[in-house]
Amino acid sequence: MSELVTGEAVALELRPAKLPSRALAVLIDLVVAWAVYLGVTIGIVASTASLDDAAAAAVAVASFVLILVGGPIAVETLSHGRSLGKLACGLRVVRDDGGPIRFRHALVRGAIGVVEILMTFGVVACVASLVSARGRRLGDVFAGTLVVRERVPAGRAAFVPPPPPWLMGRFSGLDLSGVPEGLWLAIRQCLTRMGQLDPQVGWAMAERLAGDLAERTGAPVPPGVPPAAYLAAVVHERQARDARRAFGGSAGGGAAEPGAGPGAGPGAGFRPGPGYRHVPGHGPAYGGDETAPLPSRSPAPGAVPPAGPRGGDEGAPPATGFVPPA
């Protein structure tokens, strides 16, 4: 397992490809490339029979370079690191930071591959892969790339904790069209690993991602809302919108809190109170003091306050921390 850190300070776990699978992928690519080269060569010889020896040699060298060198470069560039052999073996070439490769990465890998694969029959590439901790050949080292496994055994899916009940449906008015997929991935990984991080590190990472998300959506983070709770609520809103687009109706949509009104903006009209502790059945706490009491609902103007510290009604629903706007 190889751990890479993205620009959002999120660690990605990638599985570097082993030498046998890489050798099989290269063998498939070479067989296909040589078959194409032989077919093109036969056609060129038949069509250039009237040329002299020098012209025929120039055409042969040009076809060799274009097919056996330029072909793999073009295929890896257009397929973002998945040639025919790598696709068959479930492999892919990625950058050191986990992103897709570009033309310059494929060009460096292809140019050095002529020496370490074609001219030395793969001996140099095998030795370099065995010496490297992540199985990289010289072309990968100079290009800053890594061959990873795409098809891995299905494991337990990462669980994104739900938002607190008092934030459900509070961000239905946010414009999420400007949020890139990379930021969504970073937020999901941050939320799924929040319990494994140091509390201060997790809070700082969530706060930074919340700032990036607020900048993309154009709406600031509501005051008093823990950053991880804000991220979870926005992710829940995006999942609800995806469900509505896929299945129609209001599937997965969170109900708006009373008093929000049609003109209330995202996160308007609520105060989470001094802290938020975990309520069984409602997911983990995202911030505040674990021992602090749950925030209570303020009575509407003119209403008679209930008697007793809990309102005297044991069957009343738990407080959500929502306060209607004055």
Side-chain angles (χ1 to χ4, degrees):
M1 190 75 68
S2 177
E3 189 174 85
L4 304 179
V5 179
T6 65
E8 292 85 7
V10 177
L12 298 178
E13 292 181 351
L14 301 178
R15 295 178 180 266
K18 302 298 183 181
L19 181 58
S21 59
R22 293 193 60 178
L24 180 59
V26 171
L27 181 61
I28 294 175
D29 291 336
L30 288 178
V31 168
V32 174
W34 276 104
V36 174
Y37 173 70
L38 291 179
V40 172
T41 301
I42 293 175
I44 291 176
V45 169
S47 60
T48 60
S50 60
L51 297 178
D52 55 6
D53 294 339
V59 172
V61 171
S63 61
F64 176 85
V65 173
L66 289 177
I67 297 175
L68 295 181
V69 180
I73 295 175
V75 170
E76 284 194 353
T77 302
L78 297 177
S79 63
H80 299 291
R82 285 178 292 188
S83 62
L84 185 61
K86 292 181 178 62
L87 187 62
C89 297
L91 308 180
R92 183 173 184 173
V93 183
V94 297
R95 300 196 308 261
D96 276 340
D97 60 355
I101 65 172
R102 298 181 180 179
F103 172 73
R104 60 185 180 88
H105 304 98
L107 178 61
V108 174
R109 295 185 77 255
I112 299 180
V114 174
V115 178
E116 61 175 342
I117 295 179
L118 296 180
M119 297 181 63
T120 61
F121 300 99
V123 175
V124 176
C126 291
V127 173
S129 298
L130 291 175
V131 172
S132 174
R134 295 192 289 178
R136 302 200 300 176
R137 63 179 178 89
L138 295 180
D140 294 318
V141 174
F142 286 100
T145 57
L146 175 68
V147 180
V148 298
R149 295 171 54 190
E150 282 195 313
R151 294 198 292 264
V152 295
R156 188 176 179 180
F159 173 72
V160 178
W166 46 272
L167 281 180
M168 298 287 286
R170 297 307 305 162
F171 301 102
S172 58
L174 283 182
D175 181 12
L176 305 179
S177 59
V179 182
E181 289 297 328
L183 184 55
W184 287 122
L185 176 61
I187 292 173
R188 288 179 59 86
Q189 292 185 343
C190 175
L191 293 176
T192 55
R193 301 181 184 182
M194 186 64 67
Q196 306 172 7
L197 301 175
D198 180 80
Q200 294 182 354
V201 175
W203 182 279
M205 184 181 298
E207 192 173 25
R208 182 166 57 252
L209 291 175
D212 294 340
L213 183 60
E215 182 180 356
R216 297 284 185 173
T217 58
V221 181
V225 178
Y230 167 75
L231 295 176
V234 177
V235 170
H236 178 269
E237 175 61 29
R238 187 201 184 203
Q239 293 174 346
R241 295 182 186 182
D242 292 340
R244 287 194 293 267
R245 283 194 296 266
F247 303 105
S250 58
E257 294 287 348
F270 72 91
R271 300 189 198 83
Y276 172 78
R277 69 175 174 84
H278 175 55
V279 180
H282 290 286
Y286 286 96
D289 187 3
E290 289 287 342
T291 61
L294 283 171
S296 59
R297 182 188 298 270
S298 299
V304 179
R310 298 288 296 178
D313 186 7
E314 296 296 334
T320 60
F322 172 77
V323 179

